[in-house]
Amino acid sequence: MTLRTSPEVGGMGHAVKRKEDPRFIRGQGTYVDDIELPGMLYLDIVRSPYAHATIKHIDASKALAMPGVLDVITGATLAKYNLHWMPTLMSDMQMVLPVEKVMYQAQEVAAVLATDRYTAADGVAAVEVAYEPLPVVVDPFKALEPGAPVLRTDKPGKTDNRIFHWEVGDKAATDRAFRDAAVTVKEDIYIPRIHVCSIETCGCVAQFDRVSGQLTVWMTTQAPHAIRTVFALVAGHVGLAEHKIRIISPDIGGGFGGKVPVYPGYVIAVAAAVLTGKPVKWIEDRMENLQADSFARDYHITAELAAQRDGTLTALRIKTLADHGYTDAAANPSKFPAGLFHICTGSYDFRAAHVEVDGVYTNKPPGGIAYRCSFRVTEAVHTIERMVDIMAHELQMDPAEFRKKNFIQPERFPYTSALGWEYDSGNYGAALDLAMHKIGYAELRREQAEKRQRGELMGIGISSFTEIVGAGPSKHFDILGIKMFDSCEIRIHPTGKVIARFGTKSQGQGHETTYAQILAEELGIPVADIQVEEGDTDTAPYGLGTYASRSTPTAGAAAAIASRKIRDKARKIAAHLLEASEEDLEWEPGKFFVKGSPERSKTIQEITFAAYTNHPQGMEAGLEAVSYYDPPNLTFPFGSYICVVDIDKGTGEVKIRRFVAVDDCGNIINPMIVEGQIHGGLTMGLAPALFEEISYDAQGNIQQGSFMDYLVPTAMETPNWETDKTCTPSPHHPLGAKGIGESATVGAPAAIANAVVDALWHLGVRHIDIPITPEKVWQCLRANGVTA
Ligand code: CDP
């Protein structure tokens, strides 16, 4: 049984007629698991119980003797075609199926192909694998110690478990600033592994036509074009050329970064389809999804701040150990092994900063995906917002006043940070003022002081975060060498109806609605006459897909630019029809008219018809345009969140009494969708703050292998979010818009953590790592002599 999400939320007139969308097989549902094809085979996967072990042998005889089991595919099967390894998005190598050893618990070991999914599952249970356990490396600090077992023995000459060392900033200037500082603070902050629990798990249906050589894969991917290119590069030697591969990403039930990587299941299904000539379906189950898919975070951070006695921040220094699991499969732009972590100077005007990050291999599933976050921005924001709070408390300054003192002031934009980013626009003080006003900050501080007198625990936490979204520009951003831009192609049919296709891929963000709005606004054509499509590589223009809140900054801009190209041609046609010169025409949404004679006009529909029936001699017929938009810079949305918590001294339970979120994403296309993005994002920020963590025991056994141990918040755990906004347009985006999809997930955890520590600071508590569980708080209270 498949759970359903609503494919999009509210907004102006819904533009897509789903049954007409060619990505879907008519008469069937719109999710991968709804697709049933004649003669289809089902794939299920044998997974390793060990985190590190040599495979002695695989005995598939019992499974193969079962009626309905057709084949058992192993690493040896794939090795014949050199398909047992594949590249990761960071140009490391990842096993599709192992030949010699497994590297993490729940890793794919073999795949059973059967006539129905139940038989495939029974076949998995019947496959016998003999393992010889190897020493397990779980702790990334120990992984770097001399004498630690070297995990990646497949890499010739590799003598340790370090993946990369990366640093940015002026080390000498930073060290000097720390030597000269009146006050410094230092904290170890762990941001644990968490998992993207999208409503739909991953899956695909692969179909190979042996006559035409055409491969069609319906798959849960956020980046269909990039995946097609990767498939062509990896499997070109067995005859899969890019023009013969069609990737279709229908409704995929949430992605949040977790559906960017290529997982082995996809590749095995494709291989099985090519080998058998039959369609093959692979659908991950919920526990496989939780245990084996890519993880996020897992950053061990040591952060330091330096300040003058008057509260002026001077320098930031960070060292980080990044646990990437057994391979570097992070979905980062190639140039940045630690993603955009160096946005960690946040909203503050630092003169000097220096950041070092070391990536480490351990016996865990690959990590480092951009979970509703632009490549490590959540880690950066959590760190700076926690540290700023610690410094404010250390200086006995109000955390709000301390922030305001150190904010980059509005007149400083565009502002170049100490770590090299050029922030496009911002007004951080305005967002914080609004949040403080809305929540009644001064009154809350008074209440807190009174409660403290009575021994009650109440805390107020602020997070004034800066985001960085919209990758490109392509001069700095690529994934596996493919430049990061995005695209929109518009075709207007003779009767004025529009089909617009994009290189991005909505996973529930409502692109169908908001893109149609942009086109309607730019072209003066009603949204009801506009069909938006994404996700089919045979029809959509090339693009890098949707993650990291990049769609509005890139494809949204492409929609505006392509529309303007169409308008330029429409102006020429209108001039021809009106027998006027182009310069004498004025545009108002929906028509061109002659300046001073508004009755002499042509509607966009009349112009469109003429583009096919009565266009000027020498002009090409038709009304179409495409834009591959390469943004000149990223966009820098921001916000100020304030959280109020009450803590139960008896149980350690944290109750969020109020949470005010003020966001600024520049000009908004659809307020209802943006509101929905923020509400969902806040709950996905609450999750790691209070509930979610994936951890492993010393043998590499996952400790949260099911939803019994991994609490994904529901409406029961979610407080009432109070939202508001300021508007600081992006100066370089054609619509003045900035991305918003991830802001709330990025900004919320620090506000919650800061509120909890604020409630406990007077007891001697300086920091608690997220997730802040009742048990952790209870231990803190007892350690500091507080009893109920
Ligand atoms: O890349 P992704 O779609 O996840 O993120 P986004 O570009 O931030 O957009 C999320 C949704 O919010 C889309 O439907 C956007 O069109 C909409 N949005 C908006 O209406 N106004 C903005 N300024 C930013 C996004």
Side-chain angles (χ1 to χ4, degrees):
M1 168 86 179
T2 305
L3 288 171
R4 296 296 167 90
T5 43
S6 166
E8 47 264 317
V9 290
M12 282 173 59
H14 183 40
V16 173
K17 295 183 184 63
R18 194 159 290 287
K19 286 276 179 280
E20 289 169 16
D21 190 323
R23 293 173 304 165
F24 308 122
I25 295 177
R26 267 162 220 274
Q28 303 202 12
T30 60
Y31 291 85
V32 172
D33 203 11
D34 294 324
I35 296 168
E36 295 293 332
L37 299 174
M40 192 156 82
L41 303 177
Y42 296 81
L43 195 79
D44 205 341
I45 291 177
V46 179
R47 293 180 183 272
S48 168
Y50 291 98
H52 198 197
T54 303
I55 298 173
K56 302 302 285 180
H57 73 265
I58 299 174
D59 181 357
S61 55
K62 285 193 188 130
L64 286 169
M66 292 168 66
V69 172
L70 300 185
D71 202 357
V72 175
I73 299 168
T74 63
T77 323
L78 298 181
K80 282 189 234 157
Y81 307 95
N82 197 24
L83 288 174
H84 54 312
W85 285 88
M86 62 178 174
T88 69
L89 294 173
M90 282 304 277
S91 301
D92 201 340
M93 292 302 283
Q94 173 174 6
M95 289 179 230
V96 179
L97 285 173
V99 174
E100 284 164 23
K101 60 176 186 168
V102 288
M103 299 291 279
Y104 63 91
Q105 191 182 56
Q107 184 180 339
E108 298 80 358
V109 175
V112 175
L113 203 55
T115 47
D116 67 86
R117 66 174 72 191
Y118 305 101
T119 307
D122 289 345
V124 163
V127 173
E128 288 172 5
V129 186
Y131 300 93
E132 190 168 297
L134 293 165
V136 177
V137 180
V138 172
D139 180 333
F141 292 92
K142 290 194 178 143
L144 288 184
E145 282 173 5
V150 177
L151 298 183
R152 293 298 298 275
T153 46
D154 58 291
K155 294 188 150 209
K158 187 86 185 128
T159 55
D160 62 16
N161 295 313
R162 192 183 309 274
I163 307 172
F164 63 83
H165 173 82
W166 183 76
E167 51 185 275
V168 62
D170 188 334
K171 186 168 174 11
T174 305
D175 290 347
R176 228 177 8 257
F178 271 88
R179 272 197 305 275
D180 296 345
V183 190
T184 60
V185 290
K186 182 173 184 177
E187 196 57 64
D188 292 328
I189 297 175
Y190 176 51
I191 303 183
R193 275 191 171 224
I194 55 168
H195 181 69
V196 173
C197 297
S198 47
I199 296 262
E200 294 281 331
T201 61
C202 292
C204 70
V205 171
Q207 185 180 37
F208 182 67
D209 183 328
R210 282 181 165 163
V211 177
S212 65
Q214 171 80 35
L215 173 72
T216 305
V217 190
W218 290 264
M219 68 187 278
T220 48
T221 175
Q222 299 175 230
H225 285 282
I227 295 295
R228 183 186 61 176
T229 303
V230 172
F231 274 15
L233 292 174
V234 171
H237 65 284
V238 292
L240 287 180
E242 197 163 7
H243 65 303
K244 293 284 188 182
I245 302 172
R246 181 179 185 189
I247 306 287
I248 301 173
S249 184
D251 286 339
I252 61 173
F256 309 111
K259 288 175 179 161
V260 173
V262 177
Y263 294 113
Y266 298 129
V267 180
I268 304 167
V270 168
V274 173
L275 289 174
T276 62
K278 298 203 183 267
V280 174
K281 179 186 277 193
W282 166 67
I283 302 288
E284 216 179 31
D285 74 26
R286 179 51 69 187
M287 281 164 67
E288 291 176 298
N289 179 268
L290 185 62
Q291 294 172 14
D293 278 9
S294 285
F295 294 82
R297 325 280 198 248
D298 219 342
Y299 260 31
H300 297 260
I301 296 162
T302 302
E304 295 171 85
L305 290 187
Q308 294 167 2
R309 180 62 59 195
D310 72 351
T312 305
L313 284 168
T314 52
L316 163 80
R317 191 160 56 195
I318 293 181
K319 285 191 183 180
T320 290
L321 211 53
D323 186 341
H324 281 241
Y326 97 92
T327 184
D328 187 2
N332 288 330
S334 319
K335 191 173 163 183
F336 304 111
L340 311 189
F341 185 62
H342 46 314
I343 190 68
C344 56
T345 51
S347 309
Y348 311 99
D349 186 18
F350 284 98
R351 277 177 239 155
H354 186 249
V355 171
E356 291 175 64
V357 182
D358 285 277
V360 184
Y361 290 128
T362 57
N363 287 118
K364 296 175 198 160
I369 55 152
Y371 176 174
R372 207 163 181 175
C373 152
S374 283
F375 323 110
R376 305 294 188 181
V377 176
T378 314
E379 290 88 327
V381 163
H382 195 72
T383 306
I384 186 64
E385 287 303 313
R386 278 296 301 122
M387 292 308 292
V388 162
D389 238 57
I390 292 170
M391 179 60 97
H393 280 96
E394 191 70 34
L395 290 164
Q396 297 185 332
M397 286 178 73
D398 180 273
E401 292 315 310
F402 181 73
R403 282 178 169 80
K404 284 188 200 176
K405 186 176 178 63
N406 288 287
F407 278 156
I408 303 157
Q409 294 304 309
E411 64 279 4
R412 302 278 307 278
F413 292 90
Y415 168 90
T416 303
S417 76
L419 295 177
W421 295 113
E422 187 185 294
Y423 295 24
D424 60 348
S425 63
N427 189 346
Y428 305 139
L432 181 53
D433 282 342
L434 180 57
M436 289 169 75
H437 171 72
K438 210 171 159 75
I439 207 157
Y441 187 79
E443 182 49 40
L444 284 168
R445 283 286 176 210
R446 269 193 293 278
E447 183 192 340
Q448 183 188 33
E450 282 166 26
K451 287 212 156 129
R452 205 165 273 174
Q453 296 274 317
R454 298 200 295 270
E456 293 173 36
L457 300 176
M458 167 189 167
I460 305 162
I462 301 174
S463 168
S464 288
F465 63 92
T466 284
E467 263 265 71
I468 172 168
V469 305
S474 71
K475 64 175 183 264
H476 296 308
F477 289 84
D478 73 85
I479 287 196
L480 279 176
I482 309 168
K483 297 286 188 186
M484 295 186 82
F485 54 85
D486 231 293
S487 60
C488 166
E489 181 207 78
I490 304 170
R491 295 185 195 174
I492 312 189
H493 308 314
T495 54
K497 313 294 181 200
V498 179
I499 178 141
R501 295 183 169 118
F502 294 81
T504 46
K505 170 63 199 135
S506 186
Q507 308 123 46
Q509 297 94 318
H511 289 178
E512 293 90 340
T513 302
T514 49
Y515 287 161
Q517 280 183 257
I518 296 172
L519 297 168
E521 184 76 20
E522 293 283 337
L523 295 169
I525 291 176
V527 285
D529 291 349
I530 300 170
Q531 176 157 325
V532 169
E533 280 180 20
E534 299 174 292
D536 184 340
T537 54
D538 261 13
T539 55
Y542 203 99
L544 270 284
T546 290
Y547 38 86
S549 305
R550 65 186 298 276
S551 304
T552 305
T554 56
I561 299 294
S563 301
R564 290 170 197 178
K565 287 184 188 174
I566 284 185
R567 241 168 43 203
D568 288 345
K569 183 168 179 185
R571 178 187 286 274
K572 291 187 196 311
I573 299 171
H576 164 71
L577 297 177
L578 291 164
E579 295 179 352
S581 83
E582 279 181 57
E583 295 71 42
D584 288 341
L585 295 186
E586 274 192 25
W587 167 256
E588 74 171 45
K591 65 177 178 190
F592 279 105
F593 61 92
V594 179
K595 274 181 211 160
S597 310
E599 71 290 351
R600 288 184 62 206
S601 66
K602 287 289 169 193
T603 64
I604 187 75
Q605 287 78 11
E606 290 169 317
I607 296 166
T608 305
F609 199 66
Y612 295 88
T613 58
N614 182 21
H615 55 289
Q617 282 301 307
M619 176 189 273
E620 286 184 7
L623 208 47
E624 301 182 1
V626 60
S627 165
Y628 290 88
Y629 185 77
D630 186 358
N633 191 4
L634 296 124
T635 65
F636 294 74
F638 58 92
S640 266
Y641 294 173
I642 306 184
C643 173
V644 184
V645 298
D646 297 297
I647 296 177
D648 184 321
K649 285 194 286 186
T651 63
E653 192 188 356
V654 174
K655 187 169 179 336
I656 297 180
R657 193 202 308 174
R658 287 187 69 192
F659 194 107
V660 165
V662 172
D663 272 280
D664 192 321
C665 60
N667 291 333
I668 288 177
I669 296 152
N670 186 310
M672 190 195 275
I673 283 185
V674 167
E675 178 90 0
Q677 292 289 303
I678 292 167
H679 275 247
L682 287 169
T683 300
M684 287 179 101
L686 166 76
L690 295 187
F691 309 116
E692 293 179 358
E693 172 170 14
I694 296 280
S695 59
Y696 295 83
D697 71 10
Q699 277 70 50
N701 296 306
I702 189 167
Q703 301 297 286
Q704 297 82 12
S706 81
F707 284 165
M708 293 298 285
D709 306 303
Y710 192 77
L711 176 54
V712 179
T714 65
M716 295 292 287
E717 289 80 24
T718 303
N720 179 37
W721 307 118
E722 301 169 59
T723 59
D724 211 330
K725 57 180 173 296
T726 55
C727 179
T728 313
S730 168
H732 62 77
H733 187 277
L735 303 168
K738 304 180 177 186
I740 188 63
E742 69 195 42
S743 282
T745 309
V746 167
I752 298 168
N754 285 346
V756 175
V757 176
D758 186 63
L760 305 176
W761 184 273
H762 63 291
L763 303 172
V765 178
R766 287 167 62 92
H767 176 71
I768 306 178
D769 279 329
I770 56 171
I772 302 177
T773 57
E775 198 209 336
K776 278 191 200 169
V777 176
W778 191 87
Q779 297 287 5
C780 265
L781 291 171
R782 294 304 171 273
N784 288 285
V786 179
T787 51

